[in-house]
Amino acid sequence: QQPVQSPQAVILREGEDAVINCSSSKALYSVHWYRQKHGEAPVFLMILLKGGEQKGHEKISASFNEKKQQSSLYLTASQLSYSGTYFCGTERFLNDYKLSFGAGTTVTVRA
Amino acid sequence: EAQVTQNPRYLITVTGKKLTVTCSQNMNHEYMSWYRQDPGLGLRQIYYSMNVEVTDKGDVPEGYKVSRKEKRNFPLILESPSPNQTSLYFCASSRDSVSSGNTIYFGEGSWLTVV
């Protein structure tokens, strides 16, 4: 079952912050985040394993709340280059191999 | 350069005409998988392979076949394409499962239209 992402779209001005959420009705072992620019392949950003850790990638960070089966991606002080569609991917257990993805959140950053 | 290469990148075909989308990776990865991407639905996994000769179904395998005879190649076969298989297809690979800490790499995508 695919995880649910929210919001579907967000428009930001440069320097503003945003949060994208990814929720699952099933227990998860890992959540990973990807960014896809228009017309390009998705690019892997980071993975979070159950345990509630937080990770960062430049000014993009994420957290994973194992109890809620929810992950959040934080875009801080957004830059024009952050524009794109962000997807979360999930696995139910270690070495699941069967990945499920959210429908995506389109982020537009304007000058 | 680490690459996942798909061919063709763009294809318009007719209903029922068998076609194959090739996927090749140069990173000696064990894990390869195929996805289709449709508006509003995101990526959905079609098939995946953990190693040579080992494949399994993803969430939407109907109408597709795969094979993994060599480590580097993982072709996607549409035996009798139908219009509902019109989509953007991505092949991906990683050294092992993503949950064990491996980065997954995607190909450039193949736009397939079935008329």
Side-chain angles (χ1 to χ4, degrees), chain A residues 21-40:
Chain A
N21 295 308
C22 173
S23 299
S24 174
S25 59
K26 301 193 178 220
L28 300 174
Y29 180 83
S30 70
V31 179
H32 10 114
W33 288 94
Y34 305 79
R35 179 171 61 206
Q36 184 178 26
K37 301 276 188 177
H38 184 69
E40 298 181 7

Side-chain angles (χ1 to χ4, degrees), chain A residues 83-94:
Chain A
S83 292
T85 300
Y86 291 79
F87 294 96
C88 65
T90 61
E91 290 174 275
R92 297 160 302 162
F93 46 86
L94 178 64

